Amino acid sequence: MEHAKPRILIADDQPDVLTALRLLLKGEGFQIESATSPAGVLGAVENRDFDAVLMDLNYARDTTSGREGLDLLCRLQSLDSTLPVVVMTAWGSVELAVEAMRRGARDFVQKPWENARLLTILRTQIELGEALRRGSGWRRRTGCCGPKGGLR
């Protein structure tokens, strides 16, 4: 059976970051959609299926706390706890990485990223997400009131 190209949602408020990621990931055979805000990420995930999300933790100008991304992680978990989310930030710390993982991120990438490492992380998380979905009998779009927390 032929597999479709994995679909990844990339989210960052900086156009140059989105362009660099789009070029890298398209060249590796991924389908790419992008968002530039937490609202854009939520809208995309609510309306379309993705194999993974790669998202920045900071969106508002002059913000480096990661709070927007951490809040977004919680919202994404409530929509689909099997969706692999990899977070990235230029303002990383051990504490921020731990908090992101606690809120549902599957991995954490420091900007600037290393292409080979990022690709390995995404491929691994897509495979794990597929396994989780197969094992759970997961069905898309069962409404926002479905099981929370899922298979963590």
Side-chain angles (χ1 to χ4, degrees):
M1 180 171 123
E2 183 75 22
H3 282 103
K5 292 180 178 181
R7 179 179 289 183
I8 298 180
L9 175 62
I10 53 175
D12 200 293
D13 61 325
Q14 297 185 1
D16 56 337
V17 171
L18 290 175
T19 298
L21 287 169
R22 190 176 294 112
L23 289 171
L24 171 67
L25 298 174
K26 275 192 170 186
E28 292 293 322
F30 295 101
Q31 293 181 63
I32 304 303
E33 190 166 322
S34 60
T36 58
S37 68
V41 172
L42 289 172
V45 171
E46 286 172 344
N47 292 302
R48 290 172 294 293
D49 292 336
F50 293 96
D51 294 293
V53 175
L54 174 61
M55 61 174 240
D56 192 17
L57 287 178
N58 296 298
Y59 295 88
R61 198 175 147 110
D62 299 327
T63 299
T64 59
S65 69
R67 185 68 37 214
E68 290 170 299
L70 293 173
D71 292 344
L72 179 55
L73 272 169
C74 291
R75 302 277 306 275
L76 289 172
Q77 280 293 296
S78 71
L79 288 173
D80 180 358
S81 63
T82 67
L83 177 64
V85 179
V86 176
V87 297
M88 59 184 175
T89 185
W91 307 99
S93 67
V94 171
E95 293 80 13
L96 185 57
V98 168
E99 184 61 19
M101 302 295 268
R102 192 181 74 72
R103 293 189 186 209
R106 300 279 176 82
D107 213 325
F108 188 93
V109 176
Q110 183 88 24
K111 289 182 192 174
W113 60 87
E114 179 188 317
N115 287 348
R117 180 175 182 270
L118 179 60
L119 291 167
T120 298
I121 288 169
L122 287 172
R123 287 184 180 117
T124 299
Q125 291 307 324
I126 288 168
E127 286 178 23
L128 289 171
E130 288 173 354
L132 275 174
R133 288 172 175 177
R134 274 193 312 272
S136 69
W138 176 82
R139 289 175 292 137
R140 181 70 178 141
R141 292 192 236 311
T142 56
C144 65
C145 301
K148 284 186 89 171
L151 301 171
R152 298 282 330 186

